Amino acid sequence: MPVIYNGSGAMFSTLPTLTMKIVVLLVLLGLVVCELPPPHFNRFFQRQPQPVQPRPPPFQRPFQGGSFQTRPRFQSPTRPAPQRAPSGAAADATLGRSEYYFSWRHDGGRKYTGTEAARVCTSLGRGWQPIGISSREEIAFVISVVGGDNVEYIWTGGVRTGNGDEFVWQNGEPFTVENWSHTGGFGRPQPDNRESGNENCLSVLNNFYQDGIKWHDVACHHLKPVICERHI
């Protein structure tokens, strides 16, 4: 126990004095706390809440000219325009003294009856008619176009005359060469006029009967694209 000597040599303990001082301080502190109003008490002993920061507003595109600004649309590259024929129609190819127009390259692959196909050609302007095939060179040309563009079939300008299996070209070319298929729907050589005797139009079919690219007589109500021809 710590002791202290006074000036006369007497000895006394310091512990009771320190204990009393501590007790007095605690009592005074308790009185002060009791006298504080609740808000001050809470502020004194409790952690103060942090202010909430407001969220930024959502992003909006600038408002211009009565409508919101939009991102420009992507535009795919366009194919170069085909050569323009003197009549105003787009000539897709030339062979000798003829120009040719392939309907499926200009109308999204639409198909027509035989009568409609003839109107498509004549509507192109002066001189245009469904194709007439009057040479071996022209037969090879049509085969290369139909095969190269992977077209299932096309109309030509060939029509039955009403005299048996005789056909003529609407554009007046001579019917001097042939490329008829050896088979058809009934397995017979063409022309066979098998569809109720109404196969009055001449079509080129692309291996339709596993026979290559060959001529077939077909009823004119069927739908196909067309090759148009114009003599120059």
Side-chain angles (χ1 to χ4, degrees):
M1 174 184 300
V3 296
I4 298 177
Y5 292 90
N6 59 13
S8 59
M11 179 179 64
F12 63 92
S13 173
T14 62
L15 182 59
T17 304
L18 291 174
T19 302
M20 183 61 68
K21 289 181 178 180
I22 292 172
V23 171
V24 171
L25 288 174
L26 290 174
V27 171
L28 291 174
L29 180 60
L31 292 173
V32 170
V33 170
C34 293
E35 291 297 327
L36 289 173
H40 295 281
F41 178 81
N42 292 338
R43 196 163 51 242
F44 186 77
F45 286 99
Q46 294 181 357
R47 185 176 180 182
Q48 298 300 314
Q50 298 296 323
V52 179
Q53 297 294 332
R55 293 184 179 180
F59 173 77
Q60 291 184 347
R61 298 183 185 275
F63 189 76
Q64 296 182 353
S67 61
F68 284 102
Q69 190 177 23
T70 57
R71 184 179 299 175
R73 295 182 178 179
F74 173 76
Q75 295 183 350
S76 58
T78 56
R79 296 174 60 184
Q83 177 186 1
R84 290 286 167 181
S87 63
D92 294 297
T94 302
L95 176 67
R97 297 187 59 81
S98 291
E99 293 178 327
Y100 301 90
Y101 175 97
F102 312 138
S103 69
W104 61 91
R105 292 188 183 179
H106 303 270
D107 58 12
R110 289 185 58 187
K111 298 177 181 180
Y112 311 91
T113 66
T115 301
E116 291 170 344
R119 285 200 295 263
V120 168
C121 294
T122 57
S123 69
L124 298 177
R126 182 177 58 85
W128 286 101
Q129 295 281 343
I131 185 174
I133 305 172
S134 56
S135 68
R136 291 293 173 187
E137 185 181 18
E138 204 166 18
I139 289 175
F141 168 74
V142 171
I143 290 174
S144 68
V145 171
V146 172
D149 283 16
N150 196 27
V151 183
E152 292 181 285
Y153 32 60
I154 58 109
W155 285 127
T156 71
V159 291
R160 191 184 297 272
T161 63
N163 184 19
D165 289 334
E166 181 179 319
F167 279 76
V168 296
W169 300 115
Q170 295 182 63
N171 65 358
E173 292 184 21
F175 204 98
T176 54
V177 294
E178 298 178 350
N179 191 34
W180 294 108
S181 174
H182 67 278
T183 188
F186 287 165
R188 297 197 299 251
Q190 300 297 292
D192 63 353
N193 205 17
R194 70 177 178 89
E195 193 171 337
S196 303
N198 291 318
E199 294 188 332
N200 296 322
C201 289
L202 195 160
S203 175
V204 178
L205 306 188
N206 186 353
N207 204 32
F208 203 82
Y209 297 100
Q210 290 72 54
D211 56 345
I213 301 176
K214 296 289 185 178
W215 297 5
H216 290 258
D217 58 333
V218 178
C220 301
H221 67 266
H222 290 285
L223 302 177
K224 307 179 190 305
V226 62
I227 293 180
C228 305
E229 180 182 7
R230 175 179 180 270
H231 298 148
I232 54 177

